[in-house]
Amino acid sequence: MGLLSLLSTDPLAFVIVAAALVLSLTVHEFAHAWSADRLGDPTPRRSGRVTLNPVSHLDPFGALLLLVAGFGFARPVPINPANLGRWGTVAVAAAGPISNLLIALLCALLLRFLPESAWFAGSDLSTLGRVLFTVLSVNVVLAVFNLIPIPLLDGSRILGGLVPSLGRSLAQFEAMPFSFVLVMGFIYLASEPIGRVIGAVQNWVFQFILS
């Protein structure tokens, strides 16, 4: 279900989710670009990606998919693995999910230690509570999803760095025509088991906060 369905039923939720997605995707891609830049690869800086400006990172088609289908993507950060080496490439790939985990951790700590009166309004969540829970949830989803070791996702690049022979095969697949369409089709078909894994992680995090 896309974000557009929220626009008519709960406009505030639409604004909160959209803002959380823009923030989280921007930080995710910035983390890739910043880490590559720090590790000696000038490619992201030359492409204007070492910035927290969302316009530099959001992909129009990916954003449209988020609105209509409920899943999408940002613009991948270009890097040159030859400038980074094996472990530098792994570090850059891991930087995106790590940034989302850090945002999720910050929200979890705020929810854990703020008084309940700050994020509850009677029996319902306050606006602050909705924002924190939404940002937390979005970043858990992005971190776990991107760590799945399938082509085009960060998990595959981390796995490819750890197992170079597999990394070469994954790179060959990604260079194939229509590899993007094949991966998107796989994600769509496997959305139910992927959703169960992500949901289990979210439930664990929420139990930690509410315990």
Side-chain angles (χ1 to χ4, degrees), residues 145-148 150-158 174 183 187:
F145 177 75
N146 276 284
L147 287 172
I148 298 173
I150 60 177
L152 303 180
L153 298 184
D154 297 327
S156 72
R157 292 181 169 88
I158 295 170
E174 291 184 8
V183 171
I187 291 171

Side-chain angles (χ1 to χ4, degrees), residues 159-184:
L159 181 61
L162 297 175
V163 186
S165 58
L166 182 57
R168 287 189 289 271
S169 299
L170 290 169
Q172 289 172 356
F173 173 83
E174 291 184 8
M176 291 171 52
F178 308 114
S179 60
F180 174 80
V181 175
L182 292 173
V183 171
M184 288 296 103

Side-chain angles (χ1 to χ4, degrees), residues 57-91:
H57 299 295
L58 298 183
D59 181 273
F61 180 63
L64 179 63
L65 278 179
L66 279 170
L67 287 172
V68 176
F71 70 93
F73 52 90
R75 292 171 55 207
V77 172
I79 64 169
N80 184 350
N83 293 329
L84 295 167
R86 175 184 173 188
W87 297 111
T89 302
V90 171

